[in-house]
Amino acid sequence: INKQKTIHFTADNGLTNIAVSAIYCDSDHNIWLGTQGNGMYRYEGGNHLVYDKLPGTTASQVVTSIAHDKHGDILLGTAGNGIIKYNNGQPVHLWSPKTNTGTAFVQSMCTDKNKNVWIGTDRLGVWKYDGSTFTIVPGTERASINLMAADDNNALWIGTPSGIYYYENNKISPVRGISSFTSAIYPMGHDSVFVGTQEGLKLVINKKLSADFKLGALSSSSIMCILKYGDDLLFGVDDGGLYLWNKKYGILKNYTTKDGFLANTIYSLVADDRGNIWAGTGRGVNRIAINAGGVTCIIK
């Protein structure tokens, strides 16, 4: 209800006709609606709720990660249903690790340069899918994996709730000096890796933490995602918007809702083949264009 009009949300405009028992507003001004038996909904503004569902899955199916395999199929990692293969418009259940709880929570996936898919789970370790078989990485059987990334040398970098590890030559090793929750990993070239944690941005060089590396406000921000684009590095942070760092000119700029973002939490960043950067925020997707000089952004 507001001064102009009253909107009644029902199944006719995307909600449900089941009773709503709880309503919560988050820091990005999304309204969360808990129902008595039909799950949870989110309202971002406007006259209706948008509620899309992947064919062949339940309404409660959560997709946590996406990767492609050697056959060109799209793999969807899910919270509780292992991996779904999506091909020719149809989802097919591909794999779930054996677990005593019956819940196969896939938290992350990445594809290396040899098209192997690495799968990070919740307390079921790291798995490798070579296009035909799934094998666990020894030593990770009980590990909980936040995210992974493969570098130019095909070493696998593994972010966890308690720091970062790397898998190389069939051996798992920790990076000393990083023990906080890891939420972003971005390998740079053959020897450097940027690591985003809840305690700021870190730089690892030749498998060792660079204690002297500091980058303005990013040194104490909670880093959610990292993307390299040309001479720039983009960093999405929790409740702090986006930071653009131009290494060539030594410029660090911050962009928030005042500059056009839908929300100040930037969860993910990806670039397409047409020069667009897409940012997943706490209230939907923004498109980012970087000017020709590479030192400023336009948020769309």
Side-chain angles (χ1 to χ4, degrees), residues 107-176:
Q107 299 200 127
S108 60
M109 294 190 293
C110 78
T111 305
D112 65 24
K113 63 183 181 182
N114 295 324
K115 300 298 178 66
N116 297 305
V117 179
W118 299 88
I119 303 153
T121 68
D122 178 25
R123 291 167 291 177
L124 293 172
V126 177
W127 296 73
K128 178 183 177 182
Y129 176 53
D130 62 5
S132 59
T133 59
F134 292 85
T135 56
I136 193 167
V137 173
T140 70
E141 288 82 357
R142 298 180 181 273
S144 183
I145 312 300
N146 294 342
L147 74 161
M148 298 171 295
D151 65 18
D152 289 349
N153 300 317
N154 240 17
L156 182 70
W157 293 84
I158 304 168
T160 76
S162 58
I164 185 170
Y165 297 77
Y166 60 92
Y167 179 61
E168 191 174 39
N169 298 324
N170 298 319
K171 181 182 178 182
I172 292 279
S173 304
V175 175
R176 307 295 180 186

Side-chain angles (χ1 to χ4, degrees), residues 54 61-69 73-86 94-95 97 104-111 117-122 125 127 134 145-149 183 267-268:
L54 184 69
Q61 184 66 73
V62 177
V63 175
T64 57
S65 52
I66 304 174
H68 63 277
D69 64 12
D73 294 324
I74 296 174
L75 305 183
L76 307 174
T78 70
N81 196 29
I83 293 179
I84 294 172
K85 181 173 72 171
Y86 190 68
L94 178 64
W95 171 82
F105 197 127
V106 174
Q107 299 200 127
S108 60
M109 294 190 293
C110 78
T111 305
V117 179
W118 299 88
I119 303 153
T121 68
D122 178 25
W127 296 73
F134 292 85
I145 312 300
N146 294 342
L147 74 161
M148 298 171 295
S183 47
Y267 288 102
S268 56

Side-chain angles (χ1 to χ4, degrees), residues 48-274:
H48 66 280
L49 292 150
V50 177
Y51 189 72
D52 292 329
K53 185 174 71 173
L54 184 69
T57 63
T58 64
S60 61
Q61 184 66 73
V62 177
V63 175
T64 57
S65 52
I66 304 174
H68 63 277
D69 64 12
K70 290 184 176 180
H71 310 296
D73 294 324
I74 296 174
L75 305 183
L76 307 174
T78 70
N81 196 29
I83 293 179
I84 294 172
K85 181 173 72 171
Y86 190 68
N87 189 17
N88 295 326
Q90 295 297 321
V92 178
H93 185 263
L94 178 64
W95 171 82
S96 291
K98 293 182 179 179
T99 167
N100 294 330
T101 64
T103 301
F105 197 127
V106 174
Q107 299 200 127
S108 60
M109 294 190 293
C110 78
T111 305
D112 65 24
K113 63 183 181 182
N114 295 324
K115 300 298 178 66
N116 297 305
V117 179
W118 299 88
I119 303 153
T121 68
D122 178 25
R123 291 167 291 177
L124 293 172
V126 177
W127 296 73
K128 178 183 177 182
Y129 176 53
D130 62 5
S132 59
T133 59
F134 292 85
T135 56
I136 193 167
V137 173
T140 70
E141 288 82 357
R142 298 180 181 273
S144 183
I145 312 300
N146 294 342
L147 74 161
M148 298 171 295
D151 65 18
D152 289 349
N153 300 317
N154 240 17
L156 182 70
W157 293 84
I158 304 168
T160 76
S162 58
I164 185 170
Y165 297 77
Y166 60 92
Y167 179 61
E168 191 174 39
N169 298 324
N170 298 319
K171 181 182 178 182
I172 292 279
S173 304
V175 175
R176 307 295 180 186
I178 301 178
S179 58
S180 57
F181 188 98
T182 302
S183 47
I185 301 173
Y186 203 92
M188 294 281 292
H190 294 284
D191 58 0
S192 300
V193 179
F194 283 100
V195 180
T197 76
Q198 285 188 339
E199 297 177 354
L201 180 66
K202 314 292 183 183
L203 176 61
V204 175
I205 302 175
N206 292 322
K207 310 294 193 305
K208 295 182 180 180
L209 176 65
S210 175
D212 298 330
F213 176 76
K214 304 290 182 184
L215 189 57
L218 293 174
S219 298
S220 56
S221 299
S222 180
I223 311 297
M224 306 298 292
C225 53
I226 305 171
L227 175 70
K228 185 179 185 298
Y229 188 84
D231 292 327
D232 300 317
L233 277 169
L234 302 171
F235 302 91
V237 304
D238 183 7
D239 205 29
L242 177 83
Y243 282 85
L244 179 147
W245 180 37
N246 185 284
K247 297 182 295 177
K248 182 177 179 180
Y249 297 106
I251 295 173
L252 181 65
K253 291 188 176 183
N254 180 221
Y255 298 86
T256 65
T257 52
K258 295 179 180 179
D259 304 291
F261 273 116
L262 297 169
N264 279 330
T265 300
I266 311 298
Y267 288 102
S268 56
L269 291 164
V270 67
D272 64 21
D273 295 331
R274 298 187 177 185

